[in-house]
Amino acid sequence: MSRALSNMFRTSSRIARLHSRIYTSSPSPSHLLQPVAQVRWSSHSPLGASPTNARKPVTINTLQNLYRKDEPITMITAHDFPSAHVADHAGMDMILVGDSLAMVALGMEDTSEVLLDEMLLHCRSVARATKAAFTVGDLPMGSYEVAPEQALESAIRIIKEGRVKSVKLEGGREMAPTIAKITSAGIPVLAHIGLTPQRQNALGGFRVQGKNTSAALKLLDDALAVQEAGAFGVVLEAVPAEVASLVTKKLAIPTIGIGAGNGCSGQVLVQVDMSGSFPPGRFLPKFVKKYGDVWTESMNAITSYRTEVKSRAYPAQEHTYPMAMSKEEFSELEQLVLQKRASVE
């Protein structure tokens, strides 16, 4: 046999073996018995790393202890796994899955549009990330106003399906029977009075509440009513600082202020607002302090990525995976691919 013919047979044999390795997916029984290294080759990796200094889970008792010690309670909103993950790592006492996600995460015009099923999806996402903070899920408009029984059914879903630890609902004295119904079932309730965004149409828009004597007295009456009904705390939104401080002193449960001054038992902000996760020119309420500029950081990063892709600077060698084949094997693979392409054409 000529040397050329012999080489041709050897090359054909190697290609056949390579073809077999490429297209044979069932491992041999002996292969199954071998230990396999657990290596992630996915383009994604889980975000759920444990905090460096793990905290004990925050409970109702923890919040009550903070209140008794006059130590401010920290609260922030989150609407998905990443935003909850960073809030929990940052040491927040409470994380609220607020219906504000309608506007900051879902692009809706106001909070009244979000549905209970949508809230449940976001509650579950936040709950997966939160290891220590006390979680609260908003009851969206339409899920609790009809009757206390409807509210209890919705609250049970938020706890069981949403996997959060408590619920929040808007309204004062008129919602006291509803709060009592939910708390009697063992579900903690955070009340919300003052400016109640779900009712902004009835309030004439997003307006400061409790500005005059009669309005301030009504605010106090609402706060006492939700406390008597069993709420473990109450959010005071868009209330003059002096009035909020007075109401706080008259209660035996913590107040969480948002635009209600420094005399409240704690504070809450919408994470997207305080972190600067929005383009320039977006309206912000007077009470919001911008602690970061996530929009600019993200724009810079994404713009740099686009530029490097266009110029082929990315991906560089350090961003690519090594090949296990030898140059000879890869050459054989190229021949095989060319043969298959030719046969198709």
Side-chain angles (χ1 to χ4, degrees), residues 104 206 269-293:
V104 302
F206 295 96
L269 282 177
V270 174
Q271 187 175 158
V272 167
D273 292 344
M274 56 80 65
S275 65
S277 302
F278 49 84
R282 176 175 176 264
F283 169 78
L284 283 179
K286 176 182 175 63
F287 58 80
V288 174
K289 179 177 179 178
K290 186 178 170 184
Y291 284 86
D293 192 358

Side-chain angles (χ1 to χ4, degrees), residues 92-126:
M92 298 303 298
D93 298 316
M94 302 174 71
I95 292 177
L96 168 66
V97 189
D99 57 7
S100 58
L101 69 85
M103 303 161 77
V104 302
L106 301 179
M108 298 175 177
E109 290 297 320
D110 58 56
T111 62
S112 65
E113 294 184 48
V114 70
L115 304 176
L116 179 58
D117 284 341
E118 292 168 327
M119 288 299 303
L120 290 170
L121 173 65
H122 288 269
C123 282
R124 285 195 295 272
S125 180
V126 166

